[in-house]
């Protein structure tokens, strides 16, 4: 465009002409980009893919093998993957009357007309470039939006799931542009693949009986190929994004092992591949955002909090585009194998791959489209999510109220553990606080300050701290620095750095012994002990002090401290209404007041433990148990 732009003499009058040419050149350039992307921006009244009125999903006929109808069990391995039409039928929404686009569509004629008018104004104002300076970026933004919106059809072409039809939501230009832009950020230049990654399975070095999957090509020639042909085989699919999804996955796996099922722990990040690297980059961005929000606070925390509550239909569309890149990570598993998904990416991808029996464990207590898997059986932890997800439009046959996601050892020992806590409270034993750090490594500022403010309570023997730094080296060092500020020296606290030491510590406490020091620091180099330690110590702690994440649903008295993401506030509310935890405590000083209140008023902890035992009788904490029960019911015959 340079010869076109530079044509003309340099002078006051030609400057306006040059500005006009700049506008036309910019518009022409973006027009070519839009056309190259596969969609003309000036298509006016023509409907693009996904626009206009979507056809109403047809209910399966009575003589059609509908997925929701009970069928005679097939033998293992007989069932093939659902066809694309079958996936579309399963993920259609009978509540959706059709999607109609609302509002006037943005067309390229709009900036073109505005540019002409603006250029006339510029020409009339002579050398003044103020108007042009304002118009050029506005037109550029509009043209860029049109270009990104045109990419949505390209990105979604051939996808197995039609999110527009499932959510019954209109798709405007700004929606298409936003989704395409976010997908570009998430997927970058990654190229989709439909290859099958062969999977291996090996015994877990930490959990007896549990099989852990990996890439067979990387595992070596002596590795055993993944085999789920045995009766009662289930796959627990997850993604190691923070500790929460993994913790829920291990909870589900514990119930699978309890039921004697052939249980495979399938972490998509553990399958060495470009697809796993793609997820890893997304996890790094999420973890960094969580840490920044927690450390900086203020505007940054508010912005991050708003993002964690913005899981609308567009976020589900972004999920739908992203998971199409992850198919190779699941294609090595027979399609009739029940999949228990503890991360929506896993469940979403499984449905897209044509799996017949997908169970999605919906996280948190805040209803968002982001957490839903179209076509799966979505199990939820509480009645609020159960009601509001249906109000949002999730079909009733795709959602069930199950209970909290808790591990078998914790649930089956509720009466014994709660009775032991009540006895400790009555005997005025030191208040034993378990303070874990999340998988993203956030909360450093709040937690270290909280520990420091408890110095006098600890030195006087009124409070004992069990600090789980996880596998975060920076948190281990931060705790040590805090100990120094408290006037403690090396040897004034104990350190446990392996899973055997954790079990030994818990066994001594259950036997009636007290920790040797007022502070016990748990810090590890491996990921599994970092996650499992909190579950093991929850049985011998009096109070769990944690942000209201997945731990807000555990059967132990809880002091819910400052959240990392606004969506977590609803989880603290759930705990408070059940009587087994507090509302969110956002200030360190208030958290210290709660600790002193619980210590001085043993009746508070006695009541919380009584409520936990009563809740357990109603199945409140049986969510993972119910998920495994359902998976085994759906499992094909051997």
């Amino acid at each position: 465009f340079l010869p076109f732009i530079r044509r003309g003499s340099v002078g006051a009058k030609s400057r306006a002409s040059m500005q006009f040419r700049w506008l036309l050149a910019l518009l022409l350039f973006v027009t070519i980009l839009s056309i190259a992307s596969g969609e003309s921006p000036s298509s006016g009244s023509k409907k693009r893919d996904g626009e206009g009125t979507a056809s109403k999903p047809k209910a399966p006929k009575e003589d059609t093998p509908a997925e929701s109808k009970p069928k005679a069990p097939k033998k293992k391995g007989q069932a093939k993957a659902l066809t694309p039409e079958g996936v579309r039928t399963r993920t259609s929404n009978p509540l959706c009357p059709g999607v109609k686009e609302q509002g006037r569509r943005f067309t390229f004629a709009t900036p073109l007309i505005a540019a002409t008018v603006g250029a006339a104004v510029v020409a009339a104002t002579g050398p003044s470039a103020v108007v042009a300076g304002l118009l050029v970026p506005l037109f550029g933004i509009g043209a860029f939006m049109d270009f990104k919106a045109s990419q949505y059809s390209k990105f979604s072409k051939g996808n197995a799931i039609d999110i527009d039809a499932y959510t019954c939501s209109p798709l405007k230009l700004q929606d298409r542009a936003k989704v395409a832009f976010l997908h570009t950020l998430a997927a970058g230049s990654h190229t989709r693949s439909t290859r099958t990654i062969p999977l291996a399975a090996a015994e877990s070095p930490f959990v007896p009986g549990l099989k852990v999957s990996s890439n067979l090509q990387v595992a070596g020639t002596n590795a055993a190929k993944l085999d789920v042909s045995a009766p009662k085989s289930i796959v627990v699919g997850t993604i190691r994004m923070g500790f929460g999804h993994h913790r829920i996955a291990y909870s589900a796996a514990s119930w699978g092992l309890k039921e004697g099922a052939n249980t495979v722990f399938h972490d998509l990040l553990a399958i060495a591949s470009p697809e796993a690297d793609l997820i890893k980059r997304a996890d790094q961005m999420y973890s960094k955002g969580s840490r920044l929000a927690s450390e900086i606070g203020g505007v940054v925390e508010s912005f991050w909090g708003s993002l964690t509550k913005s899981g609308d239909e567009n976020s589900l569309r972004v999920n739908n585009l992203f998971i199409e890149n992850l198919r190779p990570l699941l294609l090595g598993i027979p399609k009739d194998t029940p999949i228990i998904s503890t991360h929506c990416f896993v469940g979403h991808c499984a449905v897209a791959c044509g799996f017949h029996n997908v169970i999605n464990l919906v996280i948190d207590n805040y209803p968002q489209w982001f957490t839903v898997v179209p076509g799966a059986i979505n199990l939820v932890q509480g009645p609020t999510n159960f009601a509001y997800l249906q109000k949002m439009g999730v079909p009733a046959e795709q959602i069930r109220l199950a209970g909290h996601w808790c591990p078998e050892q914790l649930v089956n020992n509720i009466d014994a553990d709660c009775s032991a806590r009540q006895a400790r409270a009555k005997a005025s034993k030191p208040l034993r606080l378990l303070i874990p750090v999340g998988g993203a490594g956030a909360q450093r500022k709040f937690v270290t300050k909280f520990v420091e403010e408890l110095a006098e309570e600890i030195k006087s023997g009124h409070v004992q701290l069990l600090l789980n730094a996880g596998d975060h080296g920076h948190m281990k060092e931060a705790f040590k620095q805090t100990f120094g500020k408290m006037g403690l020296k090396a040897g004034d606290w104990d350190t446990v750095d392996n899973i055997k030491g954790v079990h030994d510590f818990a066994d001594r406490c259950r036997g009636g012994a007290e920790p040797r020091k007022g502070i016990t620091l748990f810090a590890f180099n491996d990921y599994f002990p970092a996650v499992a330690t909190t579950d093991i110590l929850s049985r011998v702690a009096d109070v769990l002090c944690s942000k209201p994440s997945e731990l807000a649903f555990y059967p132990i008295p809880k002091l819910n401290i400052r959240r990392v993401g606004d969506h977590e506030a609803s989880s603290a509310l759930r705990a408070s209404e059940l009587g087994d935890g507090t509302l969110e405590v956002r200030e360190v000083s208030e958290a210290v007041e709660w600790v002193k209140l619980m210590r001085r008023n043993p009746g508070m902890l006695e009541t919380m433990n009584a409520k936990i035992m009563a809740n357990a009788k109603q199945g409140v904490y049986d969510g993972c148990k119910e998920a495994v029960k359902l998976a085994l019911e759906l499992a094909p015959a051997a």
Side-chain angles (χ1 to χ4, degrees):
F1 301 110
L2 288 179
F4 171 73
I5 295 171
R6 291 175 177 172
R7 188 180 303 161
S9 60
V10 177
K13 292 184 178 180
S14 66
R15 274 197 293 269
S17 178
M18 186 184 301
Q19 291 158 0
F20 180 45
R21 292 191 178 110
W22 267 110
L23 291 174
L24 291 180
L26 177 62
L27 296 175
L28 182 59
F29 177 64
V30 178
T31 302
I32 294 173
L33 285 180
S34 296
I35 294 174
S37 71
E39 181 178 351
S40 172
S42 59
S43 53
S45 60
K46 293 182 180 179
K47 293 182 180 178
R48 308 180 187 185
D49 292 343
E51 278 191 353
T53 303
S55 59
K56 184 175 180 179
K58 297 180 179 179
K61 297 179 181 179
E62 289 300 318
D63 58 350
T64 301
E67 297 303 322
S68 58
K69 292 177 62 178
K71 298 180 290 186
K74 292 184 177 181
K75 291 186 177 181
K76 191 74 177 178
Q78 279 189 342
K80 297 181 179 179
L82 291 174
T83 63
E85 292 76 15
V87 174
R88 291 255 172 177
T89 299
R90 168 172 285 187
T91 58
S92 64
N93 192 339
L95 301 176
C96 183
V99 182
K100 293 185 178 180
E101 186 180 11
Q102 297 177 352
R104 183 178 179 277
R105 260 189 49 217
F106 180 96
T107 64
F108 211 68
T110 305
L112 187 62
I113 295 172
T116 305
V117 175
V121 174
V122 172
T125 57
S128 174
V130 176
V131 177
L134 294 174
L135 289 176
V136 169
L138 290 176
F139 298 154
I141 292 172
F144 178 75
M145 282 183 62
D146 188 85
F147 167 58
K148 295 307 295 183
S150 69
Q151 289 187 310
Y152 178 75
S153 296
K154 175 184 176 182
F155 291 153
S156 59
K157 185 178 181 181
N159 287 4
I161 303 173
D162 185 354
I163 298 298
D164 304 336
Y166 185 78
T167 59
C168 310
S169 59
L171 193 63
K172 301 178 183 178
L173 177 133
Q174 59 265 33
D175 296 323
R176 298 197 306 273
K178 178 182 178 181
V179 172
F181 178 71
L182 292 176
H183 175 66
T184 302
L185 286 181
S189 58
H190 182 84
T191 303
R192 292 183 185 180
S193 172
T194 56
R195 75 189 191 287
T196 297
I197 297 177
L199 299 174
E203 292 290 329
S204 167
F206 300 108
V207 181
L210 181 65
K211 293 183 175 63
V212 180
S213 63
S214 62
N215 188 329
L216 182 62
Q217 297 170 328
V218 177
T221 55
N222 295 326
K225 187 176 180 181
L226 174 67
D227 182 9
V228 289
S229 61
K232 298 176 67 173
S233 290
I234 61 174
V235 171
V236 180
T238 188
I239 296 178
R240 193 173 63 246
M241 282 187 171
F243 287 165
H245 299 286
H246 246 215
R247 191 184 310 282
I248 297 171
Y250 277 117
S251 295
S254 70
W255 286 102
L257 296 174
K258 180 69 175 179
E259 294 296 324
N262 175 35
T263 307
V264 178
F265 192 91
H266 187 56
D267 177 10
L268 300 193
L269 270 181
I271 312 302
S273 62
E275 289 75 18
D277 293 338
L278 189 65
I279 302 172
K280 193 174 298 182
R281 289 195 295 271
D283 176 45
Q284 289 170 347
M285 288 192 295
Y286 177 81
S287 296
K288 187 173 183 178
S290 294
R291 288 193 296 270
L292 288 175
S294 177
E295 297 300 318
I296 298 174
V299 176
V300 176
E301 184 182 26
S302 297
F303 174 72
W304 183 253
S306 66
L307 286 181
T308 61
K309 291 183 69 175
S310 60
D312 59 5
E313 298 92 337
N314 284 336
S315 68
L316 191 58
R317 291 185 179 102
V318 175
N319 281 7
N320 194 42
L321 297 180
F322 186 76
I323 60 94
E324 288 288 340
N325 296 287
L326 309 182
R327 289 196 187 199
L329 299 173
L330 287 174
L331 290 176
I333 303 173
K335 301 304 180 293
D336 52 0
T337 306
I339 302 286
I340 298 178
S341 164
T342 70
H343 192 294
C344 57
F345 284 178
V346 180
H348 205 135
C349 185
V351 173
C353 287
F355 278 80
H356 294 253
N357 306 308
V358 182
I359 301 167
N360 177 47
L361 307 190
V362 177
I363 57 172
D364 302 323
N365 195 45
Y366 184 76
Q368 301 188 85
W369 277 113
F370 175 83
T371 62
V372 174
V373 172
I377 299 176
N378 293 275
L379 303 185
V380 297
Q381 300 186 84
T384 299
N385 243 3
F386 180 70
Y388 273 84
L389 286 177
Q390 292 185 75
K391 183 176 181 292
M392 286 164 46
V394 178
E397 63 272 16
Q398 293 184 18
I399 186 169
R400 299 184 190 180
L401 178 59
H404 295 187
W405 317 135
C406 301
E408 181 268 333
Q409 282 291 322
L410 218 54
V411 175
N412 282 341
N413 290 286
I414 282 178
D415 286 350
D417 294 342
C418 286
S419 296
R421 293 189 195 103
Q422 289 177 325
R424 284 178 54 79
K426 289 178 180 178
S428 298
K429 295 286 187 180
L431 185 63
R432 195 177 292 160
L433 306 180
L434 170 58
I435 307 178
V437 177
Q443 298 175 286
R444 180 184 62 84
K445 185 176 180 181
F446 186 98
V447 170
T448 53
K449 185 66 175 176
F450 180 38
V451 171
E452 185 179 351
E453 291 297 317
L454 290 172
E456 293 305 317
E457 292 285 315
I458 297 168
K459 292 177 181 178
S460 64
H462 292 148
V463 169
Q464 299 169 350
L465 292 189
L466 313 181
L467 302 177
N468 183 10
D471 58 349
H472 301 296
H474 72 282
M475 284 304 306
K476 179 180 178 180
E477 293 306 314
F479 280 134
K480 288 183 176 180
Q481 292 175 11
T482 302
F483 300 159
K485 294 178 182 179
M486 296 164 62
L488 302 179
K489 298 179 181 179
D492 289 341
W493 66 87
D494 272 347
T495 301
V496 177
D497 60 5
N498 60 78
I499 195 67
K500 182 180 182 302
V502 178
H503 283 291
D504 291 344
F505 179 91
D507 289 341
R508 288 196 302 270
C509 290
R510 270 193 296 273
E514 297 292 339
R516 289 187 287 262
K517 305 289 183 180
I519 299 176
T520 307
L521 175 62
F522 299 84
F524 312 94
N525 294 323
D526 296 325
Y527 189 87
F528 175 82
V531 178
T533 292
T534 300
D535 290 3
I536 297 169
L537 296 181
S538 288
R539 292 195 56 197
V540 297
D542 294 320
V543 181
L544 173 62
C545 306
S546 171
K547 69 186 183 74
S549 56
E550 77 287 349
L551 293 172
F553 299 87
Y554 266 32
I556 173 176
K558 293 173 287 290
L559 172 59
N560 290 303
I561 59 178
R562 192 179 186 122
R563 65 182 181 259
V564 181
D566 288 356
H567 63 296
E568 292 182 339
S570 296
S571 299
L573 179 61
R574 168 72 174 164
S576 177
E577 291 177 340
L578 284 173
D580 65 4
T582 68
L583 287 172
E584 181 194 6
V585 179
R586 294 188 56 78
E587 301 297 332
V588 171
S589 58
E590 187 182 359
V592 173
E593 289 178 10
W594 273 103
V595 170
K596 293 179 179 179
L597 178 62
M598 290 176 174
R599 178 177 65 80
R600 294 169 181 166
N601 182 7
M604 177 175 289
L605 289 183
E606 290 179 37
T607 300
M608 282 188 174
N609 282 288
K611 291 300 295 181
I612 291 170
M613 289 188 282
N615 293 336
K617 290 179 172 60
Q618 297 177 8
V620 169
Y621 308 108
D622 287 350
C624 285
K625 178 182 179 180
E626 292 299 316
V628 169
K629 179 181 177 182
L630 176 60
L632 294 177
E633 288 175 359
L634 297 174

PDB file of all heavy atoms in Angstrom, residues 131 392 394 552 635:
ATOM      1  N   VAL A 131      -9.236  14.598  14.410  1.00  0.00           N
ATOM      2  CA  VAL A 131     -10.346  13.712  14.061  1.00  0.00           C
ATOM      3  C   VAL A 131      -9.829  12.392  13.500  1.00  0.00           C
ATOM      4  O   VAL A 131     -10.277  11.317  13.887  1.00  0.00           O
ATOM      5  CB  VAL A 131     -11.287  14.405  13.052  1.00  0.00           C
ATOM      6  CG1 VAL A 131     -12.395  13.443  12.636  1.00  0.00           C
ATOM      7  CG2 VAL A 131     -11.867  15.668  13.658  1.00  0.00           C
ATOM      8  N   MET A 392     -30.333 -22.256  34.403  1.00  0.00           N
ATOM      9  CA  MET A 392     -29.542 -21.732  33.303  1.00  0.00           C
ATOM     10  C   MET A 392     -29.849 -22.441  31.989  1.00  0.00           C
ATOM     11  O   MET A 392     -29.636 -21.887  30.912  1.00  0.00           O
ATOM     12  CB  MET A 392     -28.048 -21.868  33.634  1.00  0.00           C
ATOM     13  CG  MET A 392     -27.556 -20.869  34.662  1.00  0.00           C
ATOM     14  SD  MET A 392     -25.950 -21.328  35.390  1.00  0.00           S
ATOM     15  CE  MET A 392     -24.999 -21.769  33.944  1.00  0.00           C
ATOM     16  N   VAL A 394     -29.349 -26.270  31.705  1.00  0.00           N
ATOM     17  CA  VAL A 394     -28.801 -27.625  31.615  1.00  0.00           C
ATOM     18  C   VAL A 394     -29.955 -28.617  31.687  1.00  0.00           C
ATOM     19  O   VAL A 394     -30.776 -28.554  32.609  1.00  0.00           O
ATOM     20  CB  VAL A 394     -27.799 -27.899  32.756  1.00  0.00           C
ATOM     21  CG1 VAL A 394     -27.275 -29.331  32.680  1.00  0.00           C
ATOM     22  CG2 VAL A 394     -26.647 -26.913  32.705  1.00  0.00           C
ATOM     23  N   ALA A 552     -13.357 -26.811  51.181  1.00  0.00           N
ATOM     24  CA  ALA A 552     -14.512 -26.272  51.910  1.00  0.00           C
ATOM     25  C   ALA A 552     -15.628 -27.301  52.047  1.00  0.00           C
ATOM     26  O   ALA A 552     -16.556 -27.107  52.841  1.00  0.00           O
ATOM     27  CB  ALA A 552     -15.042 -25.027  51.201  1.00  0.00           C
ATOM     28  N   ALA A 635     -20.847 -49.431  33.527  1.00  0.00           N
ATOM     29  CA  ALA A 635     -19.786 -50.247  32.936  1.00  0.00           C
ATOM     30  C   ALA A 635     -20.371 -51.430  32.182  1.00  0.00           C
ATOM     31  O   ALA A 635     -21.304 -52.086  32.657  1.00  0.00           O
ATOM     32  CB  ALA A 635     -18.827 -50.732  34.024  1.00  0.00           C
TER      33      ALA A 635
END
